[in-house]
Structure formats: C-alpha cells, structure tokens
Amino acid sequence: MSGEPLFVGIDAGTTGVTVALFDRRGLMVASGDRDYPCIFPQPGWVEQDMDVVWRALCEASRQAMAGIDPGRIVSVGLSSQRGTFALLDEQFRPLAPAIVWNDARAKDMEAMIAANISPARFRSLTGMPIAASWAVAKIAWLAAHRPRLLDATRWICNGQEYLLRLLGAERFEGDPSSLTLNGMLDIHRLGWSDEVCKAAGIDLAKLPPLGAPGAAVGVISKQAAALTGLPAGTALCRGAGDQQCAALGAGVVRQGMAEITIGTSAMMVAHLDHPDLAVGEQTYIGAHAIPGKWDLEGGCFAVGACLQWWRDQFEGPASGYEQMMAEAAKAPVGSQGLVFHPFFAGQITPHYDATARGAFLGLTLKHARADLIRAMLEGFACEIRLMVDAFDADLKSGITDLRLTGGGTRSSLFAQTIADVLDRPVRLLRERECSVLGAALLGAVGSAHFASIEEAAAEMVCATHSLEPNIEHRVVLDNLYGLFRESYSALAGVDFYRQLELMRQ
C-alpha cells in the first residue's frame, strides 16, 4: 500500500447517495454525490427504483475515486436508509419499486395489527408504538392489496442487503441497527419478532437472517469494481442503519449523548446502555450500531423534503438552498405571525399521526416570500422541539450533550434557529455528513484497522463548537412553539386530517 490508508463510506439515502473517502483522523479526502428521485404514484405514496439507486451509487463512487491511488483503500462500509424495503425474486431482482420509509399508505393497517396484538404487547416487544409509518404496516398492506406480488416475493429486504450483494457481499444478511423503522425487531433479543410478524401476516421465511453491524461480509467483487472504481478485493463491511451511522459519525457512543441529523428528515438518536433507561412512550427504541447497545429514536419525516418541495415548485431546480436561506434571513424572527406545519409525510414523534398534513397558518396580504421561507425553518425547528421534548420526558438519564449533524446544518441561519427554538446549546461537528463518516468508521473497525468502535470514534470524530440560543428571541419563539403545538392538536382533535384524506379518495 502506498500513501496513508483511506476508508470508504457509502451513504445511500432517500434522495441521493454520497461516497466519501476518509483518513484515520476522520478528514474527508474525496467524495462523490448523485441525486435520484422518489416516485409518487398516489397522494401519500412514496416509492423508489432500487436500480436507479445502484447506478447513482456507482457514478458517485467513480467520482470519489477519481485521481485516488486504489492501493490506499482499506475498507468499504455502507449506510442506507431504514424502513425502505424492496421485494426481490429468487435471483435477487426487484419485483417492484421499493416502498420508502415516509410512504403513508398503510394507516388502515394499524387497526388490523392492533386486533391481532395489543398495542402494549407490540411496544414491549419492539420498543415502538403501532404506526402506519413502519414497514410492518406497509407489508401488511401489500398482503391485503397486492397479494400476488407478495406471493411472488422471495425476499423482503432493506436497501442495505440489496446494495451489499451488488457490491460483492458473500452473505445475504441484515443487521438489527437497520431494522428499527421496520417495526418487526424484537428489541430485547435483537432479532425478528415471530409474534409481531404473525400478527401482521408476514412470512418470516421471506426475511433475511441477521448479522452484526459493522461486520465484514466479503470483498468488492470484480464486477462491482468495474462499475464503481473501488479496488476489487477490498474488505466490504455491513455498516449499519443510516441514523445509527450518523450517531457514530457524531461520536454518540455513551449514555447522555444524542444527535439530530438534519437531512430529508430530522432524525434524533440518543445512546442507550439498556432499554430500561427509556421510561416513556413518546419515542421508540432501536438497536445501536455498537453491538449489544441500543438507542432511543424519534423522527420528523419531511424537514428537508419540504424545502426541496418549495424549491422545485416555486424556485426552480437551478436555484440553490443558499439563495433560499438568504431570502429567509430578510424576514423577522417569528415570520410576522406565520406558523408552518411541516407534516407533508405525517407527524411522527411524539404523535405518530400518519394522516397529519402540512400547512401555512396565519397568512395575510402583508406576508412576503421571505416570511414564508423563514416560517418553514421555524416550523421545522418547532417539530424538532416536539421531538426533543419527548426525549427529555422519556429518557431516564437525560441528555447532557446534544449535537446537530447533516447537510441542513450547513445553513448557519437554520442551525441557529434550531438552537433558539430549542432554547438549549447544541454542538456542531467538523464533519457534517456524519452518516457517511459513520459508515467509513464501521468499515475501519470491521477491517480491524481499529480495535473498537469507541477507539475509532475517538480518533475520527471531532466536535468543533457550540451554538448558544439567542435569549432575545426566546419570548417570540416560545409563543410560536405554543401556537404550533396547539394548532396541531386542535386540527387533529376535530378529525380534520382524516376528513382531508377522505376528500382525496
């Protein structure tokens, strides 16, 4: 090997893939990115072509590897979106577009599952409430509405297993950290729940076996090397779920630490040494990327997606988010009394309301474009506070170190707005793309370059500084948050969202 060793991280997300190369200090040396679309066949439905994702991964990888000595590459680790599942045939080929995690078609399946297993029993097994947002409900929906498709399916898998196989994995396996949003994980033994699958009518034989996060699963094949530019024979490691990788990339490896990733969604992960440290029912429990550890989780499913929607509908695809942030900065704090609900894909933590929908409330003839964009940022921050408040209530040990990660934190206005609405300090990281760093970190551990995940995190993760909340904005934003919370409750309380759903049918 010539030159300093490099570790490859791949993060295949909802709307794009990033491939990045890191040195042992966690400094990014090169990267490649490609976007890809979701498919919206009906209101509330979200699907994706996994072959399009694979082609984008190959293109991003070739971009990242351009000019890099392949002899420096030590390992490849993969992070992928959770809760998005593909239906494969005997030859591991997709039978239909994957159903994406923020798809909202399965609301009616909640009652069916609850009739077969009590909500209390479901939560005791999975660490989660019964909700249409989880893959278990969508698979049950397929059984009810697309039985022939499900009968033809040999494997129901996450994107992680599908992409690893294309890269050269010798074993077709998932891992517990990738399964939280599936809603079928027995959180105590970190395996598939027979009881939950039976209640939902899911054939366990169609689910892949489970291995450990970060484990070596093979090497980059010659075929994958030709498509990706990654050197054949390089150690290929499973990585973990995207949010667990983000937690590792943010250094969340001890009790009391938590991070929020701001991307297409805003997802929060807190380290758990044991499930019993979670005492409430507003959040949900998952498996951490650290084997034998857990995490507490919550989500806001459409933060970045709302901004993308605004850009595509009103700004044009050539416009950059920087221009939108500059426009938002012209508006006053509080957006002149405008409240934005970012529930374009439902409200997740803490209400788990798949029927909730987005809105601007309080519009007047005085409001300008800048007010609307700023109201969106403040609405995102308010939904994030709903989630953080739920963590504060549910986590026995509390949160002593809260970190912000993800592409959304590149906007200083947005990051500061979050700190202001939360009214608490938040720490920023040197590397904001923590999912891809966490994937690379797991690859470095899986290839035995580091002795443990904790050792790798201490070496590769760097927290830079804290953002303190602006006390001058406290009164306005506290009032805004109160209106945000109360207006959601009022609309949900009069069955408003369900009535909207009936109008669309």
Side-chain angles (χ1 to χ4, degrees):
M1 180 184 297
S2 58
E4 187 177 16
L6 297 176
F7 311 97
V8 179
I10 300 174
D11 178 32
T14 308
T15 57
V17 59
T18 298
V19 179
L21 282 57
F22 296 90
D23 66 17
R24 65 169 290 117
R25 295 176 300 279
L27 293 170
M28 187 184 291
V29 173
S31 68
D33 299 273
R34 287 293 186 277
D35 292 335
Y36 39 74
C38 289
I39 306 162
F40 307 96
Q42 294 189 38
W45 293 26
V46 189
E47 299 179 351
Q48 196 160 67
D49 187 329
M50 291 305 297
D51 290 332
V52 171
V53 175
W54 168 244
R55 289 195 293 271
L57 187 158
C58 294
E59 292 172 8
S61 182
R62 291 196 299 270
Q63 179 186 1
M65 286 296 297
I68 299 294
D69 177 3
R72 298 176 64 189
I73 304 301
V74 172
S75 61
V76 177
L78 175 69
S79 159
S80 66
Q81 52 182 304
R82 303 167 306 152
T84 295
F85 63 92
L87 307 176
L88 308 183
D89 65 14
E90 290 278 0
Q91 286 73 46
F92 299 94
R93 295 175 303 204
L95 292 168
I99 296 181
V100 182
W101 54 267
N102 56 358
D103 181 283
R105 74 182 67 185
K107 181 66 177 176
D108 291 344
M109 294 299 106
E110 291 179 352
M112 185 277 288
I113 294 172
N116 294 325
I117 181 171
S118 74
R121 179 62 177 164
F122 186 96
R123 177 174 272 281
S124 73
L125 287 168
T126 67
M128 308 171 72
I130 294 175
S133 301
W134 317 140
V136 63
K138 297 163 198 176
I139 299 170
W141 185 94
L142 288 171
H145 298 279
R146 303 286 189 273
R148 289 184 180 179
L149 176 60
L150 206 57
D151 287 344
T153 297
R154 172 61 189 91
W155 294 108
I156 303 170
C157 72
N158 284 21
Q160 182 199 74
E161 298 96 278
Y162 180 69
L163 296 173
L164 281 173
R165 187 175 186 279
L166 292 176
L167 287 167
E170 298 167 1
R171 299 186 305 278
F172 190 70
E173 294 178 342
D175 84 277
S177 77
S178 299
L179 300 180
T180 303
L181 299 189
N182 287 42
M184 298 177 282
L185 181 68
D186 184 324
I187 200 62
H188 301 284
R189 62 182 185 85
L190 298 180
W192 296 113
S193 170
D194 298 2
E195 189 174 340
V196 168
C197 288
K198 182 178 180 180
I202 296 170
D203 183 356
L204 273 170
K206 295 180 185 289
L207 304 176
L210 301 183
V217 295
V219 297
I220 298 294
S221 68
K222 290 181 180 179
Q223 296 89 337
L227 293 170
T228 63
L230 297 167
T234 301
L236 177 61
C237 301
R238 180 173 294 113
D242 52 0
Q243 298 310 317
Q244 284 72 22
C245 282
L248 290 189
V252 176
V253 296
R254 294 186 303 277
Q255 196 70 34
M257 301 181 75
E259 63 86 23
I260 303 171
T261 302
I262 312 295
T264 302
S265 59
M267 303 298 291
M268 185 169 176
V269 176
H271 181 97
L272 274 182
D273 281 333
H274 193 277
D276 289 349
L277 291 169
V279 295
E281 296 189 351
Q282 299 182 88
T283 52
Y284 48 94
I285 302 170
H288 205 331
I290 304 172
K293 298 295 183 182
W294 293 261
D295 60 37
L296 198 65
E297 298 190 43
C300 310
F301 272 7
V303 169
C306 289
L307 277 182
Q308 184 179 21
W309 167 82
W310 177 276
R311 185 196 68 181
D312 293 346
Q313 298 300 322
F314 305 114
E315 306 286 339
S319 298
Y321 293 114
E322 296 83 1
Q323 296 170 268
M324 293 170 61
M325 297 302 105
E327 185 71 16
K330 299 175 184 177
V333 172
S335 307
Q336 301 196 81
L338 191 57
V339 177
F340 176 71
H341 284 179
F343 311 139
F344 283 35
Q347 204 294 311
I348 307 304
T349 307
H351 298 294
Y352 304 95
D353 182 357
T355 66
R357 292 295 177 259
F360 284 100
L361 302 176
L363 278 168
T364 70
L365 295 175
K366 182 180 180 181
H367 283 113
R369 176 167 159 265
D371 298 312
L372 271 68
I373 300 174
R374 184 167 196 129
M376 292 177 72
L377 300 183
E378 292 173 343
F380 301 153
C382 284
E383 190 178 15
I384 290 168
R385 181 169 168 182
L386 276 180
M387 178 170 62
V388 173
D389 285 353
F391 272 71
D392 284 336
D394 284 7
L395 188 59
K396 186 183 294 186
S397 61
I399 296 169
T400 56
D401 185 341
L402 181 59
R403 303 178 173 202
L404 289 185
T405 74
T409 63
R410 290 197 182 100
S411 165
S412 57
L413 173 63
F414 190 15
Q416 186 63 55
T417 298
I418 293 170
D420 290 349
V421 171
L422 293 181
D423 196 22
R424 66 194 299 166
V426 294
R427 300 185 76 184
L428 298 180
L429 285 300
R430 178 183 64 196
E431 177 52 60
R432 305 293 174 86
E433 298 294 344
C434 289
S435 289
V436 73
L437 173 58
L441 185 155
L442 284 170
V445 176
S447 61
H449 193 86
F450 291 102
S452 68
I453 289 173
E454 291 81 3
E455 178 188 336
E459 185 77 14
M460 297 181 74
V461 179
C462 176
T464 56
H465 64 285
S466 291
L467 284 179
E468 298 292 331
N470 187 329
I471 61 173
E472 294 180 3
H473 300 160
R474 181 175 294 160
V475 172
V476 170
L477 293 178
D478 275 350
N479 289 338
L480 177 70
Y481 177 61
L483 291 170
F484 176 93
R485 188 180 61 240
E486 291 163 13
S487 55
Y488 163 76
S489 296
L491 290 169
V494 296
D495 207 29
F496 177 79
Y497 299 120
R498 173 66 69 177
Q499 296 302 316
L500 284 183
E501 191 71 23
L502 293 174
M503 290 180 63
R504 284 189 285 266
Q505 294 177 356

